Amino acid sequence: MTDPVGETGRQAIQRAARRAFTQQPYAEVTLRGIAADAGISPSPVVKHFGSKERLFNSVADFGGAADELLAAPPAVLGRHMVLSLVTTRRAELMDPLLRVVFSLGNTDERSLLRERFREQVTARLTERLPGEERALRAELIAGQLIGLGATLSLHRSGAGAAATAEHIADLYAPALQQLIVDGANECRVSQGSPRSPPRHARSLRWPKARAGPLRGLPRRLAIARARTPRYRSNRG
């Protein structure tokens, strides 16, 4: 075992702690077990975090991840969030959000992860969104970000691993951006006054029949011709 120091050692401890706290009840997690999973001795764990409670609080904290994810104006927020998530995963070898999934269904201390996620990620995202139904759209955006992290974890050696962060953003960000901005525009349109049809659609309308002496003229002419004797004899 080695005793890594600095940011690299801290990240190794955090990765091991995330696995431990999300997969085991809080009471069963030990600093010694986390150190063993990280491949280090227990002393760096105590040096960096001091206690199991402080280490758990760092795992349950999404504030830093939210700061990075939301550090862009709404007009480009979707692309920024995808780039931030992918680059963070690759730089730190861990996903900034995915650990909240492993807390689902648990009623012990791990429920704190869900509460923190709602407060620090979903609620803050809701405040940033324009338009109507902000809470619903924020939850859907958070779900898409978690889904992106899950599929990149599932396919660690797949096409996503070989693709650049920019290319992943090209493909994935438009759906997020629609929920951020375009979704709000659609809400405003649907709740506003009915829009008139486009000009080209108006030009295709059939003209209304005009009232007056010429209305029904073709039918009257046909009846008159049918009553003419010469016309009947010619047809016979």
Side-chain angles (χ1 to χ4, degrees):
M1 291 186 179
T2 60
D3 288 351
V5 294
E7 191 62 24
T8 301
R10 186 180 182 89
Q11 291 175 0
I13 296 169
Q14 286 182 319
R15 287 195 296 270
R18 289 181 180 185
R19 287 191 293 268
F21 285 121
T22 56
Q23 297 174 12
Q24 304 174 43
Y26 179 85
E28 297 180 7
V29 177
T30 65
L31 295 182
R32 187 175 297 277
I34 291 173
D37 187 23
I40 61 176
S41 66
S43 58
V45 181
V46 177
K47 174 183 177 182
H48 283 293
F49 296 96
S51 66
K52 184 172 79 169
E53 181 180 3
R54 289 180 58 187
L55 183 54
F56 176 77
N57 284 332
S58 73
V59 170
D61 182 23
F62 295 92
D67 290 342
E68 177 59 32
L69 286 171
L70 299 176
V76 294
L77 185 57
R79 184 175 187 84
H80 170 80
M81 288 193 293
V82 174
L83 290 173
S84 174
L85 186 142
V86 175
T87 55
T88 298
R89 284 179 53 91
R90 293 176 175 178
E92 301 182 4
L93 301 180
M94 56 184 176
D95 191 277
L97 304 178
L98 193 56
R99 61 189 181 277
V100 72
V101 175
F102 297 99
S103 70
L104 299 178
N106 297 306
T107 57
D108 56 13
E109 288 83 352
R110 286 172 286 182
S111 62
L112 180 62
L113 273 74
R114 300 192 296 274
E115 296 174 8
R116 291 275 183 86
F117 186 91
R118 287 191 291 265
E119 294 172 359
Q120 298 176 342
V121 179
T122 310
R124 288 181 59 187
L125 179 56
T126 301
E127 295 174 355
R128 292 289 310 279
L129 296 179
E132 304 296 330
E133 296 187 303
R134 295 183 300 162
L136 174 59
R137 287 157 49 214
E139 292 175 6
L140 295 175
I141 292 168
Q144 290 199 28
L145 291 172
I146 292 173
L148 176 59
T151 196
L152 292 176
S153 295
L154 180 63
H155 304 95
R156 291 185 182 275
S157 58
T164 65
E166 292 286 344
H167 186 49
I168 293 175
D170 289 340
L171 298 175
Y172 204 82
L176 290 177
Q177 193 62 33
Q178 183 175 359
L179 286 169
I180 294 169
V181 177
D182 294 343
N185 293 337
E186 289 298 324
C187 289
R188 286 194 291 271
V189 169
S190 64
Q191 295 179 6
S193 58
R195 292 183 297 180
S196 59
R199 182 176 300 175
H200 70 275
R202 294 198 299 269
S203 65
L204 295 177
R205 290 177 177 174
W206 291 101
K208 294 182 179 179
R210 296 181 179 179
L214 296 181
R215 186 174 183 178
L217 180 60
R219 184 170 181 272
R220 293 201 300 270
L221 289 175
I223 294 173
R225 293 176 64 182
R227 291 175 178 174
T228 302
R230 188 175 63 179
Y231 179 76
R232 288 200 302 269
S233 63
N234 290 339
R235 287 178 59 86

